[in-house]
Amino acid sequence: MVSITVEHLSKSFGDIQALDDVSLEIAAGEIFFLLGPSGCGKTTLIRTLAGFYKPDAGRVLVDGEDVTAVPPHKRQTAMMFQSYALWPHFSVAKNIAFGLEELKLPNAEIEERVAEMLEMVRLRGLGGRSINALSGGQQQRVALARALAVRPRCLFLDEPLSNLDAKLRLEMREEIRTLCREYGLTAVYVTHDQKEALSVADRMAILEGGCLAQVGTPPEVYRAPHSPLVAEFIGETNFIGGIVTRIEDRVAEIDTDLGHFEGIIADPAWEPKVSDLVVIAIRPESLTLRDAPTDGVNAIDGHIERSVYLGEIAQYDLRASDGSSIRLSELNPSTVRDPGKAWQHAQAQREDVIVLKPPPGAVQTRTS
Ligand code: ATP
């Protein structure tokens, strides 16, 4: 198992700064995800790690060894793309053998490894098939087998499942996780799918404009986002603007148009002061609906404007007393409350109220 160290990587395309001084440590055997809005630099970063792009500045180290100038095929790493990049006119076995032939391994060993890979990705007996005669999920497995056949030290996956339907994605993400663990691979994985990232990642980085916005485990990033961008990007969030009235031990008291809130200052690098404008973020599932008025702290009163039953949850849009819209969800609902004018009362626990620095030009109250 090998670690990957990223030191001050920068990369521009003309006037566009795709990566801006990115530093990162990926532990040996870790499954590390890169997420962020379109154009934030995910593909540029993974391609630079894999050696397909040369950075303008900075270094990439694999297990302490500087590989920045080493071409991709000499890094003992493998990359799997969204498009599979399989050769349609070759058989399944020939596709899997491709990298092994490049390595000039003896034929007997190539055959043995191809058979092992077919077994591993559950395609035994399909080695002679043409790629065109496979389903999307099977083609994806061939791409995975081809990547792993060369016994890479690291696996780079750029949106590997985006061409698959929802059920296959679920299946394949489990398989990828299991295989990475079994083979002791260090994996870097780019996705747009938050659920994929939350369920598979050991840790994840959220990028914004070529910089790292936050790095952490899925619960760290989901439960304690450091910025509105991260809160909005991972999951759904209600944002409420307000002014700090008191701070003690990283707990801030906030006055808003909806009332008084108390929440956690999650970003350790940020030191807000009394009278600062802030944004508080509350996840829909953190708000509990009550019929009776609450004690007033971290509470939002309003009426239900829209309710949707989704089986495992019921989702509500509450029109709050200041006119803003607040999203709530109730787990395992036995009934669904109907929209109407009756006054409802929602409340969150202090640890579920996250106090954030507002982005420039932020509005006072809104839902994402
Ligand atoms: P997406 O989620 O849409 O795939 P991304 O986060 O992977 O986006 P990148 O593809 O890394 O983002 O692109 C980062 C920035 O660099 C974008 O502004 C993009 O337009 C620009 N860029 C990327 N590759 C090139 C290129 N070959 N030539 C010019 N600009 C590029």
Side-chain angles (χ1 to χ4, degrees):
M1 287 204 279
V2 292
S3 62
I4 301 172
T5 309
V6 175
E7 285 181 358
H8 304 290
L9 274 192
S10 291
K11 172 84 186 162
S12 297
F13 297 101
D15 294 341
I16 298 166
Q17 179 96 41
L19 294 178
D20 186 4
D21 195 22
V22 172
S23 293
L24 197 57
E25 187 70 45
I26 300 173
E30 195 167 35
I31 303 178
F32 193 92
F33 271 63
L34 300 175
L35 286 133
S38 184
C40 68
K42 305 179 289 293
T43 297
T44 307
L45 179 53
I46 200 167
R47 285 179 159 262
T48 309
L49 295 185
F52 293 101
Y53 286 157
K54 192 175 168 302
D56 302 333
R59 302 197 304 164
V60 177
L61 292 90
V62 174
D63 237 12
E65 177 202 344
D66 186 348
V67 296
T68 320
V70 178
H73 62 282
K74 294 204 171 142
R75 291 190 179 196
Q76 269 185 276
T77 58
M79 181 135 180
M80 202 170 138
F81 301 93
Q82 176 178 356
S83 57
Y84 314 152
L86 297 171
W87 285 278
H89 50 286
F90 285 173
S91 68
V92 167
K94 183 87 178 150
N95 266 280
I96 299 175
F98 183 80
L100 304 172
E101 284 165 0
E102 291 236 299
L103 290 174
K104 303 205 183 336
L105 295 184
N107 281 345
E109 190 174 345
I110 292 179
E111 268 176 40
E112 201 178 299
R113 279 219 214 162
V114 168
E116 183 197 331
M117 288 300 121
L118 284 169
E119 187 77 41
M120 179 192 79
V121 297
R122 296 191 284 128
L123 291 178
R124 197 165 82 178
L126 295 189
R129 278 252 187 118
S130 106
I131 291 296
N132 292 330
L134 297 182
S135 70
Q138 287 170 328
Q139 290 189 25
Q140 194 60 25
R141 289 200 170 89
V142 177
L144 187 60
R146 188 182 59 183
L148 295 181
V150 297
R151 301 204 174 138
R153 304 184 293 174
C154 313
L155 181 61
F156 299 109
L157 304 126
D158 190 359
E159 301 212 38
L161 307 182
S162 55
N163 290 338
L164 304 182
D165 65 40
K167 189 166 172 288
L168 260 178
R169 285 178 78 108
L170 263 178
E171 234 179 86
M172 283 300 294
R173 77 189 191 201
E174 280 309 311
E175 276 183 40
I176 288 176
R177 186 177 163 84
T178 307
L179 286 174
C180 286
R181 286 275 183 269
E182 230 167 72
Y183 281 68
L185 284 171
T186 307
V188 183
Y189 194 131
V190 168
T191 186
H192 276 107
D193 184 334
Q194 315 160 16
K195 290 256 159 63
E196 203 164 286
L198 290 170
S199 61
V200 180
D202 292 318
R203 281 191 312 147
M204 53 173 73
I206 316 295
L207 283 113
E208 180 186 7
C211 300
L212 290 181
Q214 190 169 347
V215 178
T217 62
E220 279 166 2
V221 175
Y222 187 84
R223 293 194 55 81
H226 290 178
S227 68
L229 175 123
V230 174
E232 195 166 30
F233 194 78
I234 300 281
E236 210 174 349
T237 307
N238 296 293
F239 291 119
I240 302 164
I243 293 175
V244 178
T245 56
R246 188 163 182 269
I247 298 179
E248 195 178 338
D249 294 336
R250 307 295 293 168
V251 172
E253 294 183 22
I254 319 286
D255 267 348
T256 78
D257 289 349
L258 290 173
H260 186 70
F261 287 78
E262 286 179 16
I264 311 296
I265 302 162
D267 179 2
W270 180 50
E271 298 282 348
K273 295 182 292 296
V274 169
S275 301
D276 277 357
L277 274 176
V278 294
V279 168
I280 56 178
I282 309 177
R283 301 280 187 202
E285 68 275 16
S286 303
L287 286 161
T288 308
L289 269 181
R290 303 177 202 283
D291 295 318
T294 63
D295 62 10
V297 178
N298 295 340
I300 299 169
D301 295 339
H303 64 267
I304 295 172
E305 201 165 58
R306 181 175 158 272
S307 59
V308 182
Y309 180 69
L310 293 168
E312 79 275 26
I313 61 164
Q315 203 173 60
Y316 299 104
D317 288 333
L318 205 66
R319 184 60 62 186
S321 50
D322 70 342
S324 63
S325 179
I326 299 287
R327 170 72 50 94
L328 282 96
S329 55
E330 221 170 31
L331 192 64
N332 194 22
S334 49
T335 56
V336 185
R337 297 166 194 243
D338 291 324
K341 291 291 167 201
W343 216 232
Q344 307 279 337
H345 313 276
Q347 194 166 30
Q349 303 282 328
R350 183 205 272 174
E351 62 267 26
D352 294 327
V353 177
I354 305 301
V355 182
L356 301 168
K357 185 178 183 175
V363 288
Q364 276 284 304
T365 308
R366 67 186 174 93
T367 35
S368 68

